[in-house]
Amino acid sequence: MEIRLQKLLANAGVASRRKAEELIVAGRVTVNGVVAELGGKAGPGDALAVDGQPVAVDEPQKIYIMLHKPEGVVTTVTDPFNRTTVMDCVSEIEERLFPVGRLDYDTSGLLLLTNDGDWTNSLTHPRHEVRKTYIAVVKGVPTADELRTFRQGLEIEGRRTSRCEVEILPPKHDKPFGKQATGPTAKLRIIIKEGRNRQVRKMCEAIGHPVISLKRVAIGGLRLDNLPRGKWRHLTIQEVKLCLAKS
Ligand code: URA
């Protein structure tokens, strides 16, 4: 059976479907030695390659991992500046994985890694509206009006953010994470369904309360809980589905 090239590349763990489409458009994918086009298909017996490197057309075993990403780690597969990447955090895994979406260099928390392109697509495509929960420590204490503005949507780089959830958490004597601040601060629980670049930081900035530290604690119904910083674990089948759950 012939399958679309971007799906084959995602199944083979080369890249997410969207990134695979970019590779095809860039002319880096060949089928039987001929440069492929978007919309092209291949099947068993075809020689599929990216940048001349053969790609196995058979389905690999699917792997799903949760990582507690520390601050100071980049969410890329390789880094031109030789910084620690999230792949270094899961170096024991031999299969080729890629991160599902990204967390900023200075954001910590729940990051998923997989070789399942379809699952990645379901989690990252805006149409699926997967809820991402963050705990942000911000400068100052937002007023009720500022929180209302935050919830209703803000203009960021010419585009309005979707409605979201935000609440101030009561102060707790738990261990702080990330940088420490001088002066008053507030701890916010923020739930957004989008994934724009540095979105939470930009939203907090827009209401006049810049982020001091940021941690993602849940994706869909899947929670980071007490997985230690820098550690990873495999997800159970139930958890793989839980990420896509609506609450
Ligand atoms: N929003 C941000 O600002 N940073 C992240 O890392 C994730 C969401």
Side-chain angles (χ1 to χ4, degrees):
M1 194 185 77
E2 293 218 312
I3 299 178
R4 278 198 191 277
L5 296 175
Q6 58 267 43
K7 186 163 163 54
L8 279 178
L9 292 170
N11 287 347
V14 172
S16 67
R17 262 209 228 184
R18 263 191 284 173
K19 288 268 179 246
E21 284 175 3
E22 289 171 20
L23 293 176
I24 297 167
V25 171
R28 293 170 59 187
V29 179
T30 54
V31 179
N32 303 324
V34 177
V35 174
E37 288 186 5
L38 204 56
K41 293 182 174 181
D46 284 323
L48 179 63
V50 176
D51 296 334
Q53 296 297 313
V55 174
V57 172
D58 330 323
E59 290 234 337
Q61 192 203 351
K62 299 276 200 292
I63 299 196
Y64 306 92
I65 277 173
M66 81 149 65
L67 168 70
H68 184 162
K69 176 195 168 300
E71 289 183 326
V73 171
V74 273
T75 310
T76 49
V77 174
T78 54
D79 182 55
F81 305 106
N82 244 347
R83 292 172 297 183
T84 306
T85 73
V86 292
M87 306 320 290
D88 296 324
C89 300
V90 297
S91 55
E92 305 92 316
I93 307 264
E94 281 176 7
E95 283 84 354
R96 209 151 139 187
L97 301 178
F98 46 85
V100 179
R102 64 186 290 279
L103 287 179
D104 299 332
Y105 182 73
D106 37 11
T107 300
S108 62
L110 175 55
L111 183 77
L112 300 169
L113 296 123
T114 186
N115 55 359
D116 183 342
D118 286 338
W119 188 64
T120 302
N121 202 36
S122 306
L123 283 167
T124 53
H125 198 291
R127 175 163 40 97
H128 297 287
E129 299 195 331
V130 174
R131 288 157 61 93
K132 274 86 58 178
T133 308
Y134 296 88
I135 304 294
V137 177
V138 296
K139 265 199 182 156
V141 182
T143 63
D145 268 354
E146 287 167 340
L147 291 178
R148 195 171 312 117
T149 309
F150 192 102
R151 269 182 213 114
Q152 286 171 349
L154 298 157
E155 191 83 5
I156 286 180
E157 286 149 10
R159 202 151 55 88
R160 226 181 151 66
T161 58
S162 308
R163 288 183 77 84
C164 68
E165 294 172 36
V166 60
E167 61 174 336
I168 299 183
L169 296 177
K172 240 171 68 180
H173 299 290
D174 54 1
K175 270 207 244 136
F177 63 89
K179 298 182 208 102
Q180 297 305 296
T182 51
T185 60
K187 198 185 245 191
L188 309 180
R189 181 190 290 118
I190 298 166
I191 305 179
I192 59 171
K193 295 179 185 165
E194 301 164 287
R196 288 162 59 181
N197 185 32
R198 296 180 77 82
Q199 180 164 348
V200 172
R201 290 173 195 276
K202 287 174 186 165
M203 290 176 78
C204 292
E205 186 88 42
I207 58 159
H209 296 279
V211 163
I212 297 162
S213 54
L214 184 62
K215 180 176 182 177
R216 181 157 67 193
V217 293
I219 296 176
L222 178 73
R223 290 162 36 159
L224 181 65
D225 284 336
N226 43 20
L227 183 67
R229 231 173 124 261
K231 298 284 181 208
W232 62 269
R233 69 170 177 82
H234 288 281
L235 299 188
T236 64
I237 298 290
Q238 289 81 355
E239 285 177 327
V240 170
K241 293 180 190 147
L242 202 57
C243 295
L244 298 168
K246 289 286 172 204
S247 61

